[in-house]
Amino acid sequence: MDNNKMNEDVFMAGFGGQGILLVGNLLAYAAIEAGKNASFFPAYGPEKRGGAAMCSVIVADQEIGSPVVGRPSNVLLLNQDAMAKYYPRVRPGGLCLYNSSLIDASGHQRSDICSLAIPANQIATEVGNVKLANMVMLGALLARNPLVQLESVKQALDIIIPERNKRFIPANLQALDRGFSFATA
Amino acid sequence: MDNNKMNEDVFMAGFGGQGILLVGNLLAYAAIEAGKNASFFPAYGPEKRGGAAMCSVIVADQEIGSPVVGRPSNVLLLNQDAMAKYYPRVRPGGLCLYNSSLIDASGHQRSDICSLAIPANQIATEVGNVKLANMVMLGALLARNPLVQLESVKQALDIIIPERNKRFIPANLQALDRGFSFATA
Amino acid sequence: MKKLVIDEEFCKGCGLCVIACPLELITVGTKVNKQGYPLAQISDANQVKCTACSACARMCPDAAISVYLPKKD
Amino acid sequence: MKKLVIDEEFCKGCGLCVIACPLELITVGTKVNKQGYPLAQISDANQVKCTACSACARMCPDAAISVYLPKKD
Amino acid sequence: MADSMITVFERPHSLKPVPSHFCSGCHHGTVHRLVAEALDQLELQQQTIGIASVGCSVLLYEYFDIDVVEAPHGRAPAVATGVKRVHPDSIVFTYQGDGDLAAIGTAEIIHAANRGEHLTVIFVNNTTYGMTGGQMAPTSLGGQVTTTTPYGRDLETDGNPIRMAELLALLDGTHFSARVSVDAPRRVAQAGKVIHKAFEMQKNRAGFAFVEVLAACPTNWGLSALDANERISQEMMPCFPLGTFKDLSGAQG
Amino acid sequence: MADSMITVFERPHSLKPVPSHFCSGCHHGTVHRLVAEALDQLELQQQTIGIASVGCSVLLYEYFDIDVVEAPHGRAPAVATGVKRVHPDSIVFTYQGDGDLAAIGTAEIIHAANRGEHLTVIFVNNTTYGMTGGQMAPTSLGGQVTTTTPYGRDLETDGNPIRMAELLALLDGTHFSARVSVDAPRRVAQAGKVIHKAFEMQKNRAGFAFVEVLAACPTNWGLSALDANERISQEMMPCFPLGTFKDLSGAQG
Amino acid sequence: MNKRLFVKGNEAVCIGAIAAGCRYYFGYPITPQNEIPEYMSRELPGLGGTFLQAESEVAAINMVLGASAAGVRVMTSSSGPGISLKAEGLSYMAGSELPAVIVNIMRCGPGLGGIDASQADYFQAVKGGGHGGYHLIVLAPDSIQELYDLSMVAFDLADQYRVPAMILGDAMIGQMKEALIPHPYQPLAELPAKDWSVTGKGNRVQGNTVKSLFLQDGALEAHNWRLHDRYQQLKDREVRCETIGIDDAELILTAFGGAARIAKTAVSMARQAGLKVGLIRPITLFPFPEQVFRQATERCRRVLCVELNNGQMVEDVRLSVDRQADVRFYGRPGGTGSLPTPEELFEQLQKHYKD
Amino acid sequence: MNKRLFVKGNEAVCIGAIAAGCRYYFGYPITPQNEIPEYMSRELPGLGGTFLQAESEVAAINMVLGASAAGVRVMTSSSGPGISLKAEGLSYMAGSELPAVIVNIMRCGPGLGGIDASQADYFQAVKGGGHGGYHLIVLAPDSIQELYDLSMVAFDLADQYRVPAMILGDAMIGQMKEALIPHPYQPLAELPAKDWSVTGKGNRVQGNTVKSLFLQDGALEAHNWRLHDRYQQLKDREVRCETIGIDDAELILTAFGGAARIAKTAVSMARQAGLKVGLIRPITLFPFPEQVFRQATERCRRVLCVELNNGQMVEDVRLSVDRQADVRFYGRPGGTGSLPTPEELFEQLQKHYKD
Ligand SMILES: Cc1ncc(C[n+]2csc(CCOP(=O)(O)OP(=O)(O)O)c2C)c(N)n1
Ligand SMILES: Cc1ncc(C[n+]2csc(CCOP(=O)(O)OP(=O)(O)O)c2C)c(N)n1
Ligand code: SF4
Ligand code: SF4
Ligand code: SF4
Ligand code: SF4
Ligand code: SF4
Ligand code: SF4
Ligand SMILES: [Mg+2]
Ligand SMILES: [Mg+2]
């Protein structure tokens, strides 16, 4: 493995309906469009609704080996269950962004990683739809770790969103921006 | 294998309906009743009727290994097809009895075995039923090679024949006797 | 005293009780349970109006509704 | 000239042609074919009586019977 | 509840007090409750053995407080036959979806019925494969868009919606066959009565009893719970008429 | 034959000139001939693909001078579906026994019918498993002694004789369903007409056509050919009435 | 000496099963094992049991699943195509830890193949024909007596380990007749109560659940390791194997079931001809007698594996033997007229003895 | 560079199949492969092909049998329980020499098991899940690109050898997305005409017969040897295998499919940590890359086989390696939360590197 080359992994978890798979897919797709290699690996609970949802994304310059990692370097956690289960697994030195609107982090403290509280539901609600919390989180991640350019993600969004939902794009872009600036600030 | 002990094999073949399996089974059963070991291994063609039928019987004092032999020592052949196929396989030094009522043996000659023509259909018809040709053949075999006593076979017949067919026993016994005496003569 | 008890753990906010009630006494509100579902609710005023006909309970796919009547002794 | 031809290779002596013939012209005899089946047969006399109605042929499970009629030209 | 209150309606005892994994507005929950009510009313809980099938209702054992065997997809009637032949005095029911019973399990349901196995079969027809994500079922309606009929079910090539209650009624071994719905309170009540009867018949050793329930799958229909509920009378009933197609409960068991 | 003769009846050309392995008096031979006659009359031999099933009739390809695929036991309708979807202009028929079609192959026949596959299905009902030595079939009559119902078929525990022609008639995809017999010359003639029609419909792209033929298995019934033939009208017909249960040949294909 | 019966292998397995208390049989006809359902249909009703001819092998194995879940000893039997159709059900039974006895009287394949003796289903039986990586206990009798004996053993092992047991016979063993000396059934061990079975909940606090679906994190993995441990216990405790003259052997023939019967005669012929040939006959195919092979081949370096197929058990032999051993194969895949003869195997022994 | 697509593995296999001219698909839904029938249902009608959702997996494989007999390229797909149900049909297809492509996106078992990634169907795929001792060609892609590529290869090999080909994926490979660079279909070889197929006899003298029943004396045996020769040809000519850094390796990790993906990262980690670790990734599981293993282990004596099961391919590895080699195993049988991580495999590499 050539250390000069990029090889970044992102793990995201929350409950079904929070749009975890959507942003994971979006991120990976943006990386592909940007000429990088990327993999996206989803995992669901057995239920269609209400269960846990998670996914892993790898973005790299070279060929991608494992699409999953045991101890991810970049982690987005969107609900309390995800926090309990995955916060301890963040790789030492890694980055963890959590949705502080739904997560009480008081029981979870690590000094060996960079943890960042993002009031994602709140910001999303301000943008106009609580369902955009996923975009807020992604925006925030990209501010901290530019795996791909925010711009690339925005372009990818335009391609990925089916025609009938195009009208939601502006709100999504706004949520990305708000997350980005929240984490930059 | 102890050569003083008995280990005899019999192979019989004809077409379905000639009662091959019945006499094979009878012979083996008689051997069992007489305290010997015996195995009976049938083989049919795919059709229920009209196809070929054959079976192997082993009678022995010791444990029986293979229930089939490649080159049988005692062979009963009941129709022309069986003659064509199995006459050449009789073990050198072996005994082959064939149903000369149905078999034209002219194309088949071996000097290394003992071949014996039994007009089995004819004798059976004399006894009253052409279907008893199988018993005639068995009787003849026992005359030449007393694998079991003729008497044991007769007793076994009484046990093996189902109640509703008991009335056919006398004719069967007679056919056995006629075959026996034909081959003794 | 309540005639209608909606169990918050079971309710999934489907609204089938809402359309079932002949008196339109139930609504689905904004409060969510720990599974994240909004909850059906009935106001105290409507509790009084409730005839305990059980139409709502019968329709509820999650057996979230119990119905009671005061004893008439 | 024969109206009825029974193919000995096909016949299995089942006797269904026998019961099929309204004129009872066919019998199953003692002669057997190489499969060992006794054969259906029709006498020359009965060939003459045969109306070529084909009932026997239609019943024959082994398609052993062919039926012909002299041309009426 | 307080002593001063009479219980008019309560969660049946045969159901465990746990929330289900079913989607909001899914009628599997309703049918579960009706079965549990029948077991309660007939006091059968302790002697009942449920056969779970593969579909959204596979977790039967998480919800019913009874003995349960999980059958392979479509084979619940065969598993039930095995169980019932061993325990003829117990009450054995299968609970099956339309993919399970009317597609892969066609032979098993037909022959269990034809043998007149003393079983109660609860058949939840939601015109789709719920668990696997909304593929076409044999009961999908003409033109219905599913994940495997993206252009709508074409009756010419994809087959016709199959009416199991009518089909099974034709078999000599079937003693009872009916179709009910749970899309309105009075129909739920009626469905409850029919399910009750189907269990009562087994209690009376009266032979094979079959209840088809028209049910909503809001998730895979892509409809809200209310719209999905509405679709049952609007779209399903014209194709799947409610009614009792055979009832030998009067006859000698 | 001599030029001076008119051929009134001859072995059909679609049958090869070889004797069959069927037992004496077995009606499979008769049904084979009727199918071959239909192919001859409709001039379909060159475009027909037969699907052989597992049973005494598995050797279809030894007798019919056509292309044949051998299907696993009970799966002929599925195999036929695959073939027909590839060659929609060919004529595809299955030839199945009662064990094959009405037991193990229940799901496949029902769904082929329900899809309205453009097939002709010849179903030979001889109330037993001929090839394997006379076990009970789903069509065995009440009380019938077979090698697996040594005390007679008990309708209570072994199931009821199943009437496939009636059952399949109920499905929307079925365009034609009839039951015929070959136990008397005029019934053979009638059976021939019905089989002819079932092929003609396929030629006209009219959908799924099903012909059940009551047939004798003298060997496994333990009867002479004549007694076996007799049993059809005496014992089978009361349970399996002859008739046409559905005929949409008039309707638009 | 008890009165000897003279019966077919297919009947012997039934006599053993009934002696072991099996009262439930579900099956579907297929040659060459039809004598099994036929025997059961005659005997079980009179014993208060149930014989049911299912609509298919798929239905039959699932009826077996139901009856086993209901707590009784239950059996099914089939051959070739029918065993393939049972693959899903067998995997479910293995996953649900349901004991039962499945008899496969092998015929030749692939596909419809033919009804003659074959051993081409070894892999299917031993490596798992169904999905998901389970094992069956696999017993391979080579005589009518052993069919009877192992029929009882199969029920005991299945109940003890909650692993379905398969009796792997072939058309030769199933169709041949020889003497059988019945003896009273004596369980191998004190068998665990079936308190997991479904009977109706009755007064139990919890309903019993028989299932193979495990959704909780780690639950399915744990379940699989538990099954794996069970398989290891079988390997440690339940290996059965017959050996003849391996102590001084220069060449070891190995074969199971029907092939072993033919082989036994060939081995005698070889011994009579002065060749030091031994025989290893695995009786349990799973668990495979690995130790026996390893130890025997520490001394005798050459093994000839004979099978009625194109080479299947030979892989397990190769995996078991000492590293220095040289394992050879002779096989015939079966079909009408293709059963090897003792003479033929003797020739092979001569050949492989030399070079 | 061609435009890269970003698709799921389940879609990639369809894109490849359609590129290779497959226009017929028969299947039945089951997770985790539903995207395959769903994709086919969207695409095939517009291409003049047929997508048909069968009433069951049993029906589906027999529709495939029919379509293949009719002479076209045809595919089915399933997972776990569904593949088990296809066992009989697969045996018939193998016996009838019918080409087709069967995709198994493995989930975990046994029984209903779970929908997560597993490789517990290795034996079923490679040793023959069905009866009668046939083989399938088994291809094990480890990337979306390879799923696409091997989808085409599978059709070619199946047609060339008249042996059904299975693509053995798993829930990880099937469900993950990554870039796919499509390229035009180029047949591997000049493929034989399907003059054996049924089309209606037309002007042919003889009707064509597609069958697996052989009744004449010796015919079935001859047929089996013919199939066996075919398998030998595959072993001689069609082995595919990826190796990484085995020339200087002190420890060789071997894994296929999804496990190999995880392993690749672990191997990089090991190399970065200075451990001389190599990788052998069989791409064809049947034919198995026996030579690669034998040659590699003549030098490097230690092999660690990693699988998402309790140990299956490891047997083929043991059968292939040099006698001196020491083959070890690390496996996890799968289930929710039970996918091994690269870190975990790296630890294993460290451990087995040392002792
Ligand atoms: C043999 C087999 N094939 C396919 C599946 C996948 N599968 C699980 S549930 C299901 C269908 C569910 O549909 P339905 O029976 O209608 O139940 P619902 O979820 O709609 O209630 C299928 C195909 C399986 N588990 N086993
Ligand atoms: C999967 C499978 N199960 C069982 C068999 C054995 N078998 C061959 S034919 C047959 C039944 C034949 O009966 P039927 O279909 O009525 O045909 P018939 O011989 O009576 O014409 C059976 C069970 C088989 N070949 N394959
Ligand atoms: S019990 Fe009747 S009146 Fe009361 S809330 Fe429910 S539906 Fe309305
Ligand atoms: S019907 Fe039940 S689940 Fe639905 S909203 Fe009302 S109480 Fe809640
Ligand atoms: S019906 Fe045919 S087979 Fe039967 S006896 Fe007459 S000619 Fe012969
Ligand atoms: S054709 Fe008619 S009349 Fe002539 S033999 Fe036949 S049945 Fe009799
Ligand atoms: S997917 Fe459909 S059937 Fe399944 S739980 Fe959800 S609504 Fe019910
Ligand atoms: S066994 Fe019966 S069905 Fe088979 S050929 Fe003989 S008579 Fe015909
Ligand atoms: Mg459904
Ligand atoms: Mg039949």
Side-chain angles (χ1 to χ4, degrees), chain C residues 9-26:
Chain C
E9 202 192 347
F10 295 134
C11 177
K12 290 178 186 148
C14 67
L16 289 173
C17 54
V18 175
I19 59 160
C21 178
L23 305 178
E24 304 188 8
L25 303 180
I26 312 179

Side-chain angles (χ1 to χ4, degrees), chain C residues 3 9 13 15 20 24 28 37-38 46 51 55 57 61 65:
Chain C
K3 296 173 197 153
E9 202 192 347
E24 304 188 8
V28 174
Y37 289 114
N46 282 351
T51 63
I65 303 179

Side-chain angles (χ1 to χ4, degrees), chain G residues 99-297:
Chain G
V101 172
I102 301 95
V103 182
N104 179 2
I105 302 298
M106 289 181 280
R107 54 190 258 162
C108 22
L112 192 48
I115 60 171
D116 294 278
S118 161
Q119 298 182 319
D121 304 348
Y122 177 92
F123 276 149
Q124 189 192 37
V126 167
K127 304 290 170 193
H131 63 285
Y134 62 90
H135 281 290
L136 304 176
I137 296 164
V138 183
L139 302 168
D142 86 333
S143 70
I144 275 44
Q145 183 69 43
E146 203 173 49
L147 262 167
Y148 169 82
D149 295 341
L150 291 183
S151 178
M152 299 180 183
V153 169
F155 279 103
D156 288 352
L157 291 179
D159 279 351
Q160 193 176 343
Y161 293 92
R162 293 186 62 185
V163 171
M166 177 174 278
I167 294 179
L168 192 67
D170 57 58
M172 188 174 117
I173 299 293
Q175 289 297 326
M176 70 184 270
K177 280 187 177 185
E178 57 187 358
L180 163 64
I181 306 175
H183 53 75
Y185 166 63
Q186 186 67 43
L188 281 184
E190 206 182 311
L191 297 170
K194 297 187 174 180
D195 51 12
W196 44 264
S197 68
V198 295
T199 54
K201 184 184 168 231
N203 295 322
R204 275 187 264 113
V205 179
Q206 286 271 322
N208 279 343
T209 302
V210 174
K211 61 162 191 154
S212 64
L213 174 68
F214 294 89
L215 293 174
Q216 298 309 315
D217 251 28
L220 181 56
E221 179 170 15
H223 177 62
N224 265 294
W225 286 121
R226 201 159 53 235
L227 292 177
H228 190 71
D229 284 350
R230 211 84 57 74
Y231 302 145
Q232 193 54 52
Q233 284 169 22
L234 282 161
K235 288 186 186 188
D236 294 342
R237 302 187 202 145
E238 305 294 353
V239 166
R240 286 165 189 250
C241 188
E242 178 186 7
T243 59
I244 299 178
I246 56 172
D247 290 344
D248 69 338
E250 298 288 322
L251 171 62
I252 292 174
L253 192 163
T254 180
F256 72 95
R261 279 301 285 266
I262 308 173
K264 279 178 177 173
T265 297
V267 168
S268 308
M269 290 165 82
R271 282 279 172 181
Q272 273 193 296
L275 306 185
K276 291 185 182 166
V277 173
L279 176 80
I280 299 182
R281 177 174 72 89
I283 296 172
T284 50
L285 299 181
F286 186 91
F288 195 72
E290 297 168 9
Q291 294 304 323
V292 178
F293 279 98
R294 206 184 41 68
Q295 281 163 22
T297 50

Side-chain angles (χ1 to χ4, degrees), chain F residues 80-209:
Chain F
T81 297
V83 171
K84 183 75 180 187
R85 295 284 178 130
V86 172
H87 297 308
D89 296 331
S90 64
I91 299 295
V92 181
F93 75 95
T94 71
Y95 185 109
Q96 305 177 255
D98 44 347
D100 192 83
L101 182 140
I104 194 170
T106 308
E108 286 75 12
I109 194 65
I110 288 204
H111 285 279
N114 191 53
R115 284 191 305 269
E117 295 292 341
H118 296 252
L119 302 173
T120 303
V121 172
I122 307 296
F123 171 50
V124 179
N125 176 358
N126 60 10
T127 74
T128 194
Y129 286 43
M131 188 185 224
T132 45
Q135 293 81 8
M136 183 188 82
T139 48
S140 294
L141 301 178
Q144 185 175 336
V145 172
T146 72
T147 52
T148 50
T149 53
Y151 313 111
R153 185 182 195 173
D154 178 348
L155 300 182
E156 279 299 300
T157 53
D158 301 323
N160 299 276
I162 195 166
R163 284 179 282 273
M164 292 307 294
E166 288 87 334
L167 199 68
L168 292 174
L170 217 70
L171 297 168
D172 288 351
T174 302
H175 287 229
F176 183 79
S177 180
R179 182 180 293 115
V180 297
S181 170
V182 290
D183 68 321
R186 76 199 144 80
R187 281 203 276 262
V188 176
Q190 172 61 15
K193 280 193 201 120
V194 167
I195 288 173
H196 182 103
K197 178 169 196 170
F199 278 97
E200 198 176 30
M201 285 179 74
Q202 188 177 167
K203 203 175 164 186
N204 300 337
R205 299 172 194 274
F208 187 84

